[in-house]
Amino acid sequence: MTHISQLFAKQQLLFIDTAPFIYHFENSEKYSPLTKNLFDAVDKNSVRTITSVITLTEIITKPHRVGD
């Protein structure tokens, strides 16, 4: 599998929407290899990223609702 940082090497900035965060936090069997690769690249500053306040709101809604 091509490393995510290689796929986006020419991009100056990558916007990450809500779904990759949710798949990553829930350890999605289908998407976990991709999200791990993505967030590892983010941790290493290989890919410059942004997200929105709306993403944060969407991510915390269910855990807040269930008291987690």
Side-chain angles (χ1 to χ4, degrees):
M1 179 184 301
T2 303
H3 196 275
I4 199 85
S5 60
Q6 292 173 335
L7 293 173
F8 297 109
K10 295 181 182 180
Q11 304 304 315
Q12 292 185 17
L13 188 63
L14 175 65
F15 178 84
I16 304 176
D17 202 7
T18 306
F21 287 101
I22 292 173
Y23 293 144
H24 189 71
F25 295 147
E26 292 182 351
N27 201 23
S28 165
E29 187 176 323
K30 183 175 181 178
Y31 297 108
S32 187
L34 292 171
T35 61
K36 182 178 181 341
N37 201 342
L38 171 63
F39 290 112
D40 283 350
V42 172
D43 285 343
K44 295 175 184 173
N45 291 321
S46 299
V47 179
R48 188 168 164 235
T49 59
I50 60 171
T51 193
S52 73
V53 173
I54 295 169
T55 296
L56 177 60
T57 304
E58 291 173 332
I59 289 171
I60 65 173
T61 298
K62 182 177 179 183
H64 178 72
R65 189 178 309 139
V66 297
D68 186 8

